Amino acid sequence: RMRIDNKVAAQKSYDEAARLMNNAKKELLLAKKHGSVFEDVKHMRLACGAAYLSVLKAVDGIFILRNIPIPKERRSIEYYKEGLSHVDKKTLTSLNVAYALLHLDGYYDGLNHVKTILSGFEQAESIIKKLKNSL
């Protein structure tokens, strides 16, 4: 049986993930689609960064529900991949895609291809939904 405080902590992670994703979507609107690209790369980058953070928050919530310890210090993508490999392969795949498209391509490299970025957002939302459905 799940401890009440785990449920509360996981709910907080979900709320923060949802808030970050909401901010990311608002920021993406400011990036303005122009054909197959986003015009304003600065806003698109900020949107990708917030969306990726929402993924990490959601995975934290999944870990809390599964009693996977979350260290206080900065966690690497390897930490998240390793943890999810024991939980859910489908969510791990979504994490890998979100990491590549949102964090690396969108945020770091400034790749502004609309379909690519929106695909990353879809993967992020699927992870957030996975946490919501687990609460």
Side-chain angles (χ1 to χ4, degrees), residues 8-78:
V8 169
Q11 179 67 50
K12 282 184 181 172
S13 279
Y14 168 76
D15 293 344
E16 180 65 5
R19 189 179 74 79
L20 284 162
M21 179 50 79
N22 197 29
N23 289 347
K25 288 177 181 175
K26 287 178 187 170
E27 201 64 46
L28 201 58
L29 288 175
L30 296 174
K32 295 189 182 77
K33 281 189 229 174
H34 184 78
S36 64
V37 297
F38 287 105
E39 256 177 36
D40 191 326
V41 174
K42 182 197 95 168
H43 285 294
M44 186 226 51
R45 281 184 138 146
L46 290 171
C48 288
Y52 179 65
L53 288 176
S54 78
V55 166
L56 299 183
K57 265 294 165 201
V59 175
D60 283 347
I62 292 168
F63 286 0
I64 290 166
L65 292 175
R66 297 295 183 105
N67 288 313
I68 296 172
I70 299 172
K72 295 276 182 244
E73 69 273 2
R74 181 182 297 157
R75 299 174 290 285
S76 66
I77 187 62
E78 286 74 24

Side-chain angles (χ1 to χ4, degrees), residues 101-102 105-106 111-121:
L101 300 183
L102 296 174
D105 293 343
L111 180 80
N112 63 341
H113 186 254
V114 170
K115 283 184 181 173
T116 302
I117 299 307
L118 292 181
S119 178
F121 267 72

